[in-house]
Amino acid sequence: MRCVLLAALLLATGQLVGQSQLEVEGVLKGYFLTSEGSLAVYEVPFHFPQKPYETALPSRLYPVWSRYYLKMCVKAKRGQIQRLQIQVGKERHSVTKEVPSEQVFIPEVVGEWLSVHAKVGLDIKVAAEMTDGEKVTVRPFYAVQMGDLQPLKIDWQDLVRISQIREFLRRHGDEILPGLRADDVPILLEGEEGQGVLVGNKFPHEWRYKGIVPTGLQVYLLPFRIRVTPTVRERVLAGIFKVRKIGIVAILCHQPGWDAIEEMNNPRSLRHGERTFSLLHEIVHYWIGQKYGWERKPKFLNYFDLDGYLAWILEGNALASALASQGQPQREAVRDFLFFRWLRRRLGCGDAQEEQDTEWEEGVAYAAAEKAMKLGAIHLRLNPAAYAPYLYYDLDASDLTERLILPFNPVREPFYHQFGYAQARILTELIPNWLSQVPKRRALESLLADTVGFLPEDITALTEEQARPKVREYAQKSGIIFLPSLPEPQDGLMLVWLVTIGNFPSIKVLPENLPFVVFKKGCDFVAGKVKIQSHREVMIAQVAHQKGTLLLFGWRLKPGEALQFKAEGKEVIGQGQGIAARAVDVEVWQAPHLILVGPKGLARMWAEMFSKSQEVKPMKLTKAWTAIAVAMMLTSGVTQGQGMQVTGSVAGIFLNTRTGQREFRIINLVPSLDMSDYSLLEPIDDEEYQITISVADPDAQLLRLALVLTDGQEVAVESDQPTNQLTLTYRGKWYKFLRPISELVEWIGRTVVKIVKTIGEQMLERALQELLQGKKGTLTIHVRITDTEQNTTTSFTQVTIEIWRDNKRILPPPNETWIIQTDDNGNLSIPLPRANGYLVRAKRFGLFAACPEVWAGPYNVEENQTTHARVVFYYHKPIKGRVMEQTSNGQLVALPTAQAYLYRGDQQLSGPWYSDSDGYFLIPYFDIDGVLEQHGSSTYTIKVIPPSRSMLRPEPVEGKKDVTLTRCERLKPDAPCPRAKTVDVGIFVFTYQPPENPPGVEEKQVRD
C-alpha cells in the first residue's frame, strides 16, 4: 500500500524521474548562515531529476532576510519548449519563446541573475509548456537542506562587523585609547519596516532572539517598532541616541542594497568600509560618554552679525587650507585659522567652551576610529583603495561658500563635525601620538596653538571697532565679498529690503558710507517671520545700535527685469528673478528708481533717505499679484541719443513641468534669442496671459504700437501727436500671440511687434527670456558603469544628470540649484520639446572609483517618440607592482612591508603604501585621481623602499620606475577613459648584503 501511494504521489507532482521530459540545472547565490552561526556567500546548486552532489557545502544552510540570485538552464529531453514559468516561493517569472527551443536560459541575458527575496520563499518550481501542448511541472532539488528563514530584517553583515570589531579591540584597543572596548557598547541596528535589533547585554530576557546569530553575540529583538526620522537619516549614518525603554545606545541606520550582487562579489567594498568606520566612530563616542559623562547636545547659538559670519568663513577656509598643506604653509594656515576664530569671538559670535567641547569629542572619535581602521585593516577586512575615512570627513573651502547664510551657528551640524575632524587630522600630522593626551582633555585648538606657536595675547589689544574693518579687509582679499557703492539713479532700479533685529531705533539721517558688501552667490536669511532667499548677487549692509541691528538687503535691477508683490493678511510677499522674500508688518514704498520694503514706521523714512528727497509713495497691495516692469519705471529717464527702446513681459499662470504645480510667472521679452534661456514652464490652454509692451523714443516720433497676433490681426495703441512713449497691454490665450522659435524647435517663444514712427514703420521680433515648452517626446537615459578588467557592466546611480543644447544647459535651468538623478536601476526618462542636438552630461557625486563626468550625444527627440541615450562610466584602476627579494641562491621570493610612493620630481605626492605577504602593492585610485586633479597629466615616478633589516643593507637602496598618468576628462561625447585599466609597473627586485663595515669588525688594510 505504501508503494502504491508513493508512486501516485510522484505521478501527481510530476516527479517521476523516469518519465520526466525536463532537465533543470542551476545555482542559487546569496548570504546563508551555517548551524554554527557563520555568515557567508554561498552558491548552492540545484538540479532535476537528480539531486546534485556537493561536498564543499555545509549539509544545512539557513537563508536570511535578504535578496537571493539564481540562474538556470532548462532542457527538454524530447520536443521543444514553447512557454516556461519559473516560480520561486510566491514570485513567478514567465518566458515565452517566439521560436520554440530545446533549452531555455533563465535569465535569458548572459551574465545576469534573476533576483528574489527570501521573504517570498526559495522553493523552486519549473512549469513548461511544450510545442505539442503537453505541460510538465518539476521541482528541482537543492544540494543542501534549507533551514528556516532567519527573520532579522537588518544588514546581516553588521552583526559580523560588530563581532570582528569586538575581537579586534580586545587585542588592540589599548593601542588606540586606554581601555577602549566594544563588548559593553549596546548597538541598535535599524531594520526594515521599523524592526529594531539590539546587540549587547543587560536587556530583558524575553527580548532575546532565539534564532541563529554569529558566535559570541547576544542579540535582542525589540517588541516595538523604532523610527529613525528622515532628518536624522539624511544627516548621519550612525549616532549616539537615548531611546525610550532602552537607554543610551549607538544606532546604525539601515541602508538598502547590502544584499546586492555587487556587494556579494566585493566583500571589501566602499560600503563595508563606511559602515565599519561608523561603528568604530560611535564606539569611541560611547567610550567618551562612559569615561567623561554624557555631554548635553550642542547649543543652538544663532548669530546675525555680518562681520562675525565673514570671520567664520575665513576661519573655515584657513582650516581647509591647512588640511591641504604641509610643512611651514600648513603651520601658517593653522595660525590664520586661530586668528580668525579669535576675531569671531571678539565680535561676540561664539561660545569658546561649547565649541571646544563638541570639536574635541568629534575630533577624538574621528582620529581614534581612523587609527583603528589602519591597525585593523586585515582583521576587519578593509580595503584602503575602496574606502578612506578622511576623504569622506574632509573639510573643503567650497563647503563655506560666497553665499551669506544668516543666522549662523558655529556648533551646528555638520560644521562642528567638520571642524573637529579637520583639527584632529592636522594634529595627527603634526603630533602623531596626540591621542595619548586625550585623558587630559585639552581643547584641539589649544594643542594646535601650542604646536604652531600662536599667542592670542599678541592680538587681544584689538577692540571690536578695530576688528570689524580687519575682517572685511581679509574677506575682500579672499574674494568672499566685494565692496560696492550705491548705484546712481541712472544705473537702474534699486530694491531694498529692511530687516530689524531687536529694538532698532528710528534714524533720521542715512549713515555716511553705508557699509554695503556684495555676496556674489546670494543669501539665505530667516529671522522670525522674515525670510529672504536670493540666488543672485545681493548687497548687504549692517547698521548696529545698542538696542538692535538693522540689516539692509539690496539688489540692482536691470531694465529687462520685473518684480511682483502681493499681500496675504499681514504678510507681504515679493518675487523677482532670483529673489524671493516675505515678511509680516511691513510696507512697500516706491520712488522713480527705488522700491523699498521695511517695517512699518521705518520704511517711509528710509525710502525718503535713499531717494534723496524725491517723491515717494506707498504701494497698495492686494491678494492678487501686482507686477512691476522695471523698464517702465525707468522710461521717463530716457535721454537724447539713447535710441528707441522696446521692453515687455508676459504674465500669467504656467505649468511647472518639474513640480507639476501651476504658478504665476512674469517672463520678460528680450531682443535676441541668444539671450534666452530654456524653461520648464508650459503654457496652459485654458488660461489667459497678459502681454505688456512699452516703446520709448527720445526723439518723440512714435505714432503707433501694434502687436501682430498669430492670425495676422493687430492689436494697437495710437497717438494723435508724435510722442516719446507708447505702452500696449493685451490679454488672451497664449497661442494668439506666441509663436514657435523655428520649424525644428517647436518651443513657444516669439512675438512680433510693429512700430510706426513719423519716418516710417518697423517690424520687430521679441523672444521670451524663458522659452516655453511646445510639442514633446521622451529622452530615456541609461547610465551604466563598466569594469574593463572584470568585463562587467552594471547600472550606476551615483550621478546627477544635465541636459544641454546649443551650448546651454536646459535641465536643470541655469539659475536653478536642484539636481536630477536616475532611478535605482540607473535609468531616467525625461520629456523634452521636439528638437535636434540634445547632449547628456552625467556627473558623478561622492567618492567613487569612476570617471568624474561623461558626455553623450547628440540625440534627436521626436514628437511622441522615445529616444534612448546610453551613458557609460568606467571604474578607475590603481597602480600595482610587486616587490621581490633575490636570495643568495638566486631564488625570487615575495618581500612584504616594502613602502611604495608616488613622486613628481622630488615632491612626494602619495604614500607610503605597503606590499602584502605576496609582495604586491597598490596605490589606490583615489590618490592617483587626487594627484592628477592637482598636477595634471604627466610623467610620475614610483619609488619603492625595501624594509630595513638588522645587520643587512638593501641593494639597491630604493627602486624607481617612471609611469605616464593621464587625467580623466571625458568632456566630449564618446571620449575614452584613460584610467580604466590598472597600471602595472612590474617587479622591483632587491637583495640584502652585509654592511661594508659591520659593527665589531675591525677594518684592516692589506698591502700589496
Side-chain angles (χ1 to χ4, degrees):
M1 178 63 72
R2 289 183 179 178
C3 292
V4 173
L5 289 175
L6 179 59
L9 179 62
L10 291 174
L11 283 169
T13 58
Q15 296 290 331
L16 264 181
V17 173
Q19 298 180 6
S20 174
Q21 296 186 27
L22 295 181
E23 180 179 349
V24 180
E25 185 175 10
V27 63
L28 178 73
K29 182 175 182 176
Y31 288 102
F32 291 93
L33 277 168
T34 65
S35 302
E36 294 76 26
S38 174
L39 180 74
V41 176
Y42 290 99
E43 292 190 4
V44 181
F46 56 84
H47 193 272
F48 184 87
Q50 295 87 19
K51 180 178 180 179
Y53 180 72
E54 179 62 58
T55 58
L57 294 174
S59 59
R60 182 185 291 270
L61 291 174
Y62 296 84
V64 299
W65 187 275
S66 69
R67 299 202 70 81
Y68 287 81
Y69 303 86
L70 61 84
K71 60 176 64 174
M72 69 177 73
C73 176
V74 181
K75 298 179 181 179
K77 292 184 177 180
R78 55 181 185 274
Q80 292 184 320
I81 300 172
Q82 181 71 57
R83 294 182 183 84
L84 194 64
Q85 185 179 82
I86 309 299
Q87 182 171 338
V88 184
K90 298 178 182 179
E91 285 192 7
R92 297 183 179 182
H93 305 270
S94 299
V95 176
T96 300
K97 303 294 290 184
E98 294 182 4
V99 178
S101 175
E102 294 181 355
Q103 66 179 11
V104 178
F105 290 95
I106 304 295
E108 294 183 277
V109 179
V110 176
E112 293 192 358
W113 296 78
L114 182 66
S115 174
V116 63
H117 200 284
K119 64 184 177 183
V120 302
L122 297 177
D123 294 332
I124 302 174
K125 184 169 70 173
V126 180
E129 183 178 337
M130 314 303 289
T131 51
D132 59 6
E134 184 177 0
K135 297 180 179 179
V136 181
T137 301
V138 301
R139 298 179 184 273
F141 301 97
Y142 282 116
V144 301
Q145 292 183 352
M146 290 290 184
D148 295 334
L149 171 67
Q150 300 302 296
L152 299 184
K153 303 175 184 180
I154 57 172
D155 178 343
W156 276 80
Q157 285 280 25
D158 286 336
L159 295 178
V160 178
R161 295 180 186 110
I162 293 170
S163 179
Q164 292 174 340
I165 288 173
R166 283 185 171 185
E167 182 181 352
F168 168 73
L169 291 181
R170 290 187 203 112
R171 298 179 182 178
H172 303 284
D174 290 332
E175 299 174 38
I176 303 165
L177 289 171
L180 180 62
R181 301 289 186 274
D183 301 83
D184 295 328
V185 178
I187 300 174
L188 177 57
L189 302 177
E190 181 201 12
E192 296 179 18
E193 302 172 6
Q195 187 185 75
V197 175
L198 264 174
V199 181
N201 49 34
K202 299 179 182 178
F203 294 107
H205 180 74
E206 57 270 20
W207 294 2
R208 187 73 179 264
Y209 174 62
K210 304 300 192 296
I212 301 174
V213 294
T215 306
L217 295 183
Q218 296 183 39
V219 177
Y220 298 82
L221 184 59
L222 297 185
F224 51 86
R225 293 180 181 273
I226 64 170
R227 179 176 177 268
V228 178
T229 62
T231 54
V232 172
R233 188 190 306 279
E234 292 172 4
R235 194 174 74 247
V236 295
L237 174 60
I240 302 294
F241 295 92
K242 188 173 185 179
V243 180
R244 177 178 57 89
K245 298 182 180 180
I246 300 176
I248 298 176
V249 295
I251 294 182
L252 186 61
C253 294
H254 182 69
Q255 286 179 306
W258 75 276
D259 50 1
I261 192 76
E262 294 82 5
E263 289 294 319
M264 295 181 187
N265 295 337
N266 184 17
R268 302 169 70 193
S269 66
L270 181 150
R271 176 196 177 97
H272 171 66
E274 182 182 31
R275 294 184 75 82
T276 301
F277 179 82
S278 296
L279 283 168
L280 287 166
H281 185 90
E282 301 310 326
I283 287 168
V284 177
H285 271 302
Y286 198 90
W287 175 88
I288 292 173
Q290 283 185 315
K291 191 172 184 66
Y292 299 104
W294 299 101
E295 294 288 345
R296 52 185 172 80
K297 291 183 179 180
K299 294 179 182 177
F300 293 98
L301 306 172
N302 288 334
Y303 301 103
F304 290 92
D305 192 288
L306 176 60
D307 299 313
Y309 176 79
L310 292 175
W312 183 55
I313 297 292
L314 290 165
E315 172 188 339
N317 288 347
L319 189 58
S321 177
L323 273 178
S325 307
Q326 290 182 337
Q328 189 60 29
Q330 183 181 52
R331 290 174 171 268
E332 292 297 331
V334 170
R335 291 190 187 97
D336 289 341
F337 157 69
L338 297 169
F339 172 71
F340 291 123
R341 170 163 283 202
W342 182 91
L343 282 182
R344 170 173 59 80
R345 292 173 182 165
R346 187 70 183 87
L347 297 174
C349 298
D351 183 322
Q353 190 63 51
E354 187 73 20
E355 294 171 31
Q356 292 169 359
D357 288 346
T358 53
E359 291 173 356
W360 179 85
E361 183 170 337
E362 288 302 325
V364 169
Y366 162 79
E370 186 178 43
K371 185 174 181 180
M373 294 274 282
K374 291 179 179 179
L375 287 175
I378 296 176
H379 187 93
L380 302 176
R381 303 176 295 127
L382 299 172
N383 178 12
Y387 180 83
Y390 72 86
L391 293 171
Y392 287 85
Y393 295 90
D394 220 344
L395 176 68
D396 194 289
S398 61
D399 295 335
L400 301 167
T401 66
E402 302 162 18
R403 186 175 178 83
L404 173 67
I405 302 175
L406 286 181
F408 76 98
N409 178 6
V411 292
R412 177 175 64 86
E413 292 187 49
F415 299 115
Y416 74 86
H417 286 275
Q418 293 173 332
F419 279 50
Y421 297 145
Q423 292 176 72
R425 272 202 57 210
I426 295 169
L427 279 170
T428 301
E429 296 174 11
L430 297 178
I431 317 174
N433 66 337
W434 75 273
L435 283 175
S436 63
Q437 301 185 42
V438 164
K440 299 179 182 178
R441 198 160 185 174
R442 289 195 63 200
L444 303 184
E445 63 182 68
S446 298
L447 292 172
L448 285 173
D450 291 348
T451 305
V452 302
F454 177 78
L455 300 174
E457 294 79 7
D458 296 342
I459 56 174
T460 51
L462 281 175
T463 65
E464 180 179 336
E465 290 71 21
Q466 293 170 327
R468 291 189 182 279
K470 210 166 194 61
V471 167
R472 295 201 181 191
E473 177 187 349
Y474 284 111
Q476 187 181 10
K477 288 180 179 178
S478 301
I480 299 171
I481 61 170
F482 298 86
L483 304 180
S485 59
L486 286 177
E488 294 300 320
Q490 61 266 25
D491 291 338
L493 181 72
M494 182 78 170
L495 170 64
V496 177
W497 199 294
L498 307 180
V499 178
T500 56
I501 309 295
N503 298 317
F504 188 80
S506 297
I507 295 179
K508 302 298 182 182
V509 180
L510 189 68
E512 292 185 10
N513 300 321
L514 196 63
F516 272 97
V517 296
V518 170
F519 285 85
K520 288 288 188 180
K521 296 184 179 180
C523 68
D524 288 291
F525 177 86
V526 178
K529 296 182 179 180
V530 181
K531 183 176 182 180
I532 299 175
Q533 189 173 50
S534 175
H535 294 288
R536 60 185 288 178
E537 182 179 294
V538 60
M539 298 189 298
I540 314 288
Q542 175 176 290
V543 181
H545 191 271
Q546 292 179 350
K547 296 182 179 180
T549 301
L550 176 70
L551 291 172
L552 299 90
F553 297 81
W555 296 266
R556 290 190 177 106
L557 304 181
K558 298 178 181 179
E561 298 187 63
L563 294 171
Q564 56 180 345
F565 292 92
K566 71 175 180 178
E568 291 184 354
K570 294 184 178 182
E571 187 175 46
V572 170
I573 302 172
Q575 293 182 1
Q577 184 176 344
I579 304 170
R582 56 177 60 212
V584 298
D585 296 327
V586 296
E587 49 193 12
V588 183
W589 287 79
Q590 64 182 98
H593 299 275
L594 173 74
I595 294 178
L596 188 141
V597 186
K600 294 178 180 179
L602 283 179
R604 178 177 181 176
M605 179 180 61
W606 279 83
E608 291 173 344
M609 288 192 291
F610 266 102
S611 61
K612 299 180 180 178
S613 302
Q614 296 188 51
E615 181 182 355
V616 298
K617 58 182 179 179
M619 184 182 297
K620 295 182 179 180
L621 302 178
T622 65
K623 293 182 179 179
W625 287 105
T626 298
I628 303 171
V630 174
M632 296 177 190
M633 293 186 64
L634 302 176
T635 50
S636 60
V638 176
T639 59
Q640 186 75 19
Q642 286 184 292
M644 185 176 66
Q645 294 186 356
V646 181
T647 58
S649 62
V650 177
I653 303 294
F654 297 93
L655 175 66
N656 186 319
T657 57
R658 172 177 172 257
T659 63
Q661 302 294 318
R662 296 186 175 205
E663 55 186 52
F664 178 86
R665 292 289 292 271
I666 299 176
I667 304 176
N668 296 317
L669 296 172
V670 292
S672 171
L673 185 61
D674 293 336
M675 297 171 60
S676 303
D677 291 325
Y678 301 101
S679 171
L680 293 175
L681 300 178
E682 193 171 274
I684 302 171
D685 289 340
D686 57 358
E687 289 285 345
E688 288 192 342
Y689 297 85
Q690 177 178 303
I691 180 170
T692 303
I693 298 174
S694 180
V695 179
D697 177 26
D699 299 325
Q701 295 178 339
L702 297 175
L703 294 175
R704 184 174 185 267
L705 170 62
L707 173 68
V708 182
L709 303 181
T710 54
D711 59 6
Q713 297 185 41
E714 296 181 4
V715 178
V717 293
E718 298 180 349
S719 174
D720 295 335
Q721 299 293 328
T723 180
N724 67 352
Q725 182 174 346
L726 286 174
T727 300
L728 177 148
T729 300
Y730 171 76
R731 189 172 185 84
K733 304 292 187 183
W734 63 271
Y735 54 82
K736 285 284 190 178
F737 57 86
L738 288 177
R739 298 165 170 80
I741 61 174
S742 72
E743 293 182 0
L744 290 177
V745 184
E746 301 256 349
W747 289 13
I748 311 303
R750 289 188 304 121
T751 60
V752 178
V753 179
K754 181 187 290 186
I755 300 170
V756 180
K757 301 174 66 173
T758 56
I759 57 175
E761 69 178 42
Q762 185 178 4
M763 297 286 286
L764 298 176
E765 286 191 357
R766 286 294 184 269
L768 282 175
Q769 196 169 30
E770 297 180 64
L771 293 176
L772 307 178
Q773 296 190 21
K775 297 177 182 178
K776 290 186 289 186
T778 301
L779 181 64
T780 298
I781 302 166
H782 310 275
V783 185
R784 300 293 182 262
I785 186 166
T786 294
D787 190 320
T788 56
E789 296 178 354
Q790 299 293 330
N791 197 26
T792 59
T793 299
T794 57
S795 60
F796 190 40
T797 60
Q798 301 283 98
V799 296
T800 59
I801 300 295
E802 296 177 357
I803 308 297
W804 287 67
R805 187 175 181 275
D806 294 337
N807 295 320
K808 295 179 181 178
R809 191 179 78 180
I810 300 172
L811 290 176
N815 294 326
E816 298 290 344
T817 57
W818 48 269
I819 60 174
I820 302 173
Q821 292 183 250
T822 67
D823 61 18
D824 292 340
N825 296 314
N827 301 323
L828 173 69
S829 292
I830 301 178
L832 289 173
R834 187 184 77 173
N836 298 333
Y838 286 107
L839 294 177
V840 177
R841 182 190 191 190
K843 296 193 297 183
R844 185 205 72 212
F845 63 82
L847 181 69
F848 208 89
C851 312
E853 70 175 271
V854 178
W855 289 77
Y859 301 102
N860 300 336
V861 173
E862 302 294 337
E863 182 181 356
N864 297 326
Q865 295 185 20
T866 298
T867 301
H868 292 273
R870 183 177 173 87
V871 183
V872 180
F873 285 75
Y874 290 92
Y875 282 106
H876 284 187
K877 295 298 181 177
I879 296 173
K880 79 171 182 179
R882 196 177 190 187
V883 188
M884 306 290 285
E885 177 188 353
Q886 186 173 23
T887 62
S888 57
N889 60 7
Q891 183 180 3
L892 290 178
V893 297
L895 185 59
T897 70
Q899 301 176 36
Y901 298 85
L902 182 64
Y903 272 77
R904 186 184 187 194
D906 295 331
Q907 183 181 7
Q908 178 188 325
L909 303 176
S910 175
W913 302 98
Y914 294 90
S915 58
D916 60 18
S917 57
D918 294 321
Y920 288 101
F921 66 84
L922 289 177
I923 300 180
Y925 76 90
F926 53 78
D927 260 39
I928 302 172
D929 286 350
V931 167
L932 292 174
E933 181 73 23
Q934 184 174 0
H935 300 280
S937 305
S938 182
T939 298
Y940 295 84
T941 301
I942 306 299
K943 180 187 292 187
V944 174
I945 299 176
S948 60
R949 289 183 181 174
S950 176
M951 303 294 292
L952 294 174
R953 60 179 175 85
E955 181 64 37
V957 177
E958 62 183 25
K960 293 182 179 180
K961 291 187 179 183
D962 289 339
V963 59
T964 300
L965 300 176
T966 304
R967 180 179 174 182
C968 181
E969 295 179 294
R970 300 177 63 196
L971 303 181
K972 294 182 179 180
D974 302 322
C977 174
R979 297 273 295 106
K981 292 186 178 180
T982 299
V983 179
D984 191 342
V985 295
I987 300 176
F988 294 78
V989 179
F990 296 89
T991 61
Y992 285 89
Q993 303 291 337
E996 295 179 357
N997 289 317
V1001 178
E1002 181 180 357
E1003 182 180 1
K1004 298 181 179 179
Q1005 182 177 2
V1006 180
R1007 295 181 180 179
D1008 294 334

